[in-house]
């Protein structure tokens, strides 16, 4: 799997020869951030047993794995936002600790920056 394309703070697309995985960050009305991940897989019907196995694995078991992964990302992003808010308040700094760029002022924007760093750098 490789990163095919992305827009920092907005979306990212991973690709493999038989599937794509997209990630999109959108701000919510309450000031938070919503992360949507979508997978599109192409099944090889020239080998029906393998295609059926692929469908069973992707459509049924992947739901639980995806849910667990997204909840983990959410908890890490929220914890990082809380820690960064506390550190910034204590030190007066407004720099992103991951890339040294100017850190966004809102917690929702900091969440988006952190999620992109998590996805791209594997942190």
């Amino acid at each position: 799997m490789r990163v095919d394309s992305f827009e920092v703070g907005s979306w990212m697309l991973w690709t493999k020869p038989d599937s794509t995985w997209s990630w999109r960050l959108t701000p919510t009305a309450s000031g938070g951030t919503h992360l949507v991940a979508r997978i599109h897989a192409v099944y090889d019907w020239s080998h029906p047993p393998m295609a059926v196995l692929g469908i069973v694995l992707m459509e049924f078991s992947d739901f639980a794995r995806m849910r667990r992964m997204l909840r983990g990302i959410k908890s890490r992003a929220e914890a990082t936002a809380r820690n960064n808010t506390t550190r910034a308040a204590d030190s007066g700094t407004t720099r992103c600790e991951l890339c040294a760029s100017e850190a966004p002022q809102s917690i929702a924007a900091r969440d988006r920056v952190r999620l992109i760093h998590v996805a791209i750098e594997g942190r």
Side-chain angles (χ1 to χ4, degrees):
M1 193 168 296
R2 70 179 185 84
V3 175
D4 182 73
S5 54
F6 67 95
E7 181 179 322
V8 174
S10 182
W11 61 269
M12 178 171 48
L13 177 66
W14 292 350
T15 60
K16 287 182 9 180
D18 62 345
S19 62
T20 59
W21 193 346
S22 66
W23 304 79
R24 176 166 288 290
L25 296 166
T26 54
T28 63
S30 64
T33 303
H34 191 104
L35 170 62
V36 176
R38 296 184 186 258
I39 297 173
H40 179 264
V42 176
Y43 303 108
D44 181 9
W45 287 102
S46 64
H47 300 94
M50 292 305 291
V52 171
L53 178 63
I55 288 172
V56 170
L57 290 175
M58 286 296 290
E59 301 300 329
F60 297 108
S61 67
D62 197 52
F63 175 79
R65 287 192 309 257
M66 179 68 79
R67 183 178 172 127
R68 182 176 178 199
M69 180 194 62
L70 290 173
R71 285 184 168 176
I73 290 171
K74 179 183 179 192
S75 67
R76 288 190 304 275
E78 289 172 346
T80 299
R82 281 191 303 273
N83 291 341
N84 286 347
T85 301
T86 302
R87 277 191 223 125
D90 292 344
S91 67
T93 183
T94 58
R95 289 245 175 253
C96 174
E97 295 177 6
L98 298 171
C99 65
S101 64
E102 193 69 22
Q105 295 303 309
S106 73
I107 291 174
R110 280 194 293 270
D111 288 349
R112 285 192 296 277
V113 168
R114 177 63 184 164
L115 286 172
I116 290 297
H117 284 291
V118 166
I120 292 174
E121 298 174 8
R123 292 184 181 187

